Amino acid sequence: MQPFLQGQQKGKITMHLFTEQQQQQLSFNGAPENRDNDHTPVVRLFVANTSMVWLLNELDPERPSEAFGLCDLGMGFPELGYLDLEGVSEVCSRNQFSLERDLHFNGKYPMSVYAEAARQQQRITTDERDLMLALQALCRPKPRP
């Protein structure tokens, strides 16, 4: 796990949370022409010793502290949305929590699969069995009314 370094300057957060390759992929995914695609999550962030987890797949190239992904604050309602990385980092720092990057995360499925699995499990999961069930649910034909 890669801890967020405390006391960073505004605008410098992403360079400590992401590798250069991750930052490039997140920015590419966040480019206007790519935003509507169902990208694979690039990075998993979490707050140590809590249930807060984020799977991110886009960074706004114009505002690199604004990310898009699957957000779970640990209350049983994970959702897709935008995240202010500077805001989260500031709150963590102020409360002496550590915002970290999962060094072992490797996204294998499109974000829609992780979102469906999170909906089913009421939390973000990377468990292969949960993800396969979610993929099957997404591929199942919808019944006609």
Side-chain angles (χ1 to χ4, degrees):
M1 308 301 166
Q2 176 68 42
F4 169 72
L5 303 173
Q6 302 294 335
Q8 299 305 317
Q9 298 174 9
K10 281 188 136 188
K12 303 287 184 186
I13 290 168
T14 56
M15 63 189 266
H16 296 288
L17 288 176
F18 312 130
T19 66
E20 185 176 329
Q21 182 180 1
Q22 288 170 330
Q23 177 120 11
Q24 288 173 357
Q25 185 63 53
L26 289 163
S27 295
F28 175 81
N29 292 352
E33 62 273 15
N34 297 327
R35 280 194 188 139
D36 291 333
N37 296 332
D38 190 10
H39 300 289
T40 300
V42 176
V43 66
R44 178 182 178 269
L45 300 179
F46 63 97
V47 176
N49 302 314
T50 74
S51 300
M52 292 186 266
V53 178
W54 297 269
L55 294 182
L56 304 179
N57 62 352
E58 295 179 13
L59 276 180
D60 186 328
E62 301 289 319
R63 293 174 298 232
S65 69
E66 186 175 292
F68 180 82
L70 186 58
C71 307
D72 184 355
L73 298 179
M75 297 184 284
F77 305 101
E79 63 183 7
L80 290 168
Y82 289 91
L83 172 68
D84 176 7
L85 294 168
E86 288 179 358
V88 170
S89 296
E90 185 178 318
V91 168
C92 287
S93 174
R94 193 174 331 128
N95 293 293
Q96 301 197 9
F97 287 115
S98 179
L99 180 60
E100 301 183 16
R101 173 176 42 118
D102 183 342
L103 298 177
H104 304 288
F105 176 75
N106 183 23
K108 297 179 185 176
Y109 300 96
M111 184 64 83
S112 59
V113 174
Y114 288 92
E116 176 63 21
R119 186 191 66 71
Q120 291 175 3
Q121 301 299 316
Q122 299 182 327
R123 63 180 174 77
I124 290 178
T125 179
T126 56
D127 181 81
E128 190 67 29
R129 188 179 73 71
D130 294 338
L131 294 168
M132 288 304 296
L133 289 171
L135 181 60
Q136 290 171 359
L138 291 172
C139 293
R140 195 173 304 129
K142 306 281 187 241
R144 293 185 183 193

